[in-house]
Amino acid sequence: MATINSNFLKLKAGYLFPEIARRVKAYSEANPDKAGRIIRCGIGDVTEALPPAVVKAMHEGVDELANRSTFHGYGPEQGYEFLRQAIVDNQFANLGIEADEVFISDGSKCDTGNILDIFGKGNRTGITDPVYPVYVDTNVMAGNTGDANDNGAYEGLVYLECNAANGFVAAPPCDKLDLVYLCFPNNPTGAVATREQLEAWVKYAQENDTIILFDAAYEAFIQDSSIPRSIFEIEGARDVAIEFRSFSKNGGFTGVRCAYVVIPKTVTGKSESGERIPLHRLWSRRHSTKFNGASYPVQKAAAAVFSTEGKEQVAALIEHYMGNAKLLRETAQALGLQVFGGVNAPYVWVGCPAGLTSWDMFDKMLEEAQVVITPGSGFGAAGEGWFRISAFNSRANVEEVCSRLKALVS
Ligand SMILES: *Cc1c(COP(=O)(O)O)cnc(C)c1O
């Protein structure tokens, strides 16, 4: 009989979003009269249509495939040059990043999980708490942890607590990490790291030989020009950081699927014999062995995000979502709740009213207001007592959520 990867058995059964879906379904079945009123601000998924420039480019890509003379079969595994160059020119201008340091993929979820393929065992890995669950679960699957304790914290991971006192931005720890996941603007808390905070992390990484895995999926939501959009804006980051970016949240590609990893050739890890090996080389090998390229029409569509019309249309989408974030943020503040995020990020992170746990608040919002939020404790023990409201919605829905929240809390 085939044995299994028993690390999977360590995973906590109730992954956050299935549990949310289960409770919403149970409520809807028990309350059919209320089911139609439910507004979902739970999962961080975009809601608005693709920008017209993107749709046009995707159609053109499909038309090329429909004609023998312009047909494309397998493309380069690393992604088409036209897209990688557009990314470098538009997202990393003057940051010293080259087009061959960019790897196109079908999503940052996959990339942030798959990256563990190129790292060895026994790395001391830091994750923030609360955190995007993918970083944790992929480390569990890869065998980098022991079992979880009652709080859901896995033995072998170093949890960096984020809380109201540190503004949900963890400072580098005193002890040495080999790898650390940072995500700014943050999901779930909406926190952003200042230049000084990122400089402290890069300095820490240089001093401790740490690799920073920097998830910048939400960079497009940064409104404040003093906040870095890329870790590579920080001097020295080229030697210590890998950055993950996605078209999911700026271009609305959650259902289209396109993202990329930036691995400077100067970032290295250590072989068993102590030799420094560029991670770029390993990821290139991994990517071309296990991935056959994102689809051609999708890469055409992604490049259109950087066209003149594309940029304007994406800016309008961001403005729409950030208008929602502002309404949600101000409503929660006016109710006297503690609020983080919602300024340079599409998530508003709200303290539960006194005495309520995150799941209590989830149930209360569902049962009394028919609004689906995300319980903070689902992102880690330090998220207990908080909940996340997503700004990805129509304006009408957000206004309705605000009025229901007012009726519920005040
Ligand atoms: C949405 C999101 C991503 C992007 O994931 P895709 O697989 O590219 O859709 C990456 N990181 C975080 C933290 C996210 O919330």
Side-chain angles (χ1 to χ4, degrees), residues 302-316:
V305 162
F306 304 118
S307 65
T308 308
E309 308 77 48
K311 281 183 201 165
E312 282 166 14
Q313 293 159 4
V314 167

Side-chain angles (χ1 to χ4, degrees), residues 313-331:
Q313 293 159 4
V314 167
L317 274 177
I318 301 285
E319 197 183 310
H320 164 74
Y321 291 130
M322 291 312 292
N324 290 348
K326 185 174 187 315
L327 286 173
L328 290 165
R329 181 186 159 85
E330 288 175 355
T331 300

Side-chain angles (χ1 to χ4, degrees), residues 107-109 132 135 183 187 215 217-218 246 248-249 257 259:
S108 280
K109 187 188 214 180
Y132 181 53
Y135 314 148
C183 173
N187 176 13
D215 186 341
Y218 296 95
S246 173
S248 282
K249 313 291 165 44
R257 314 303 306 141

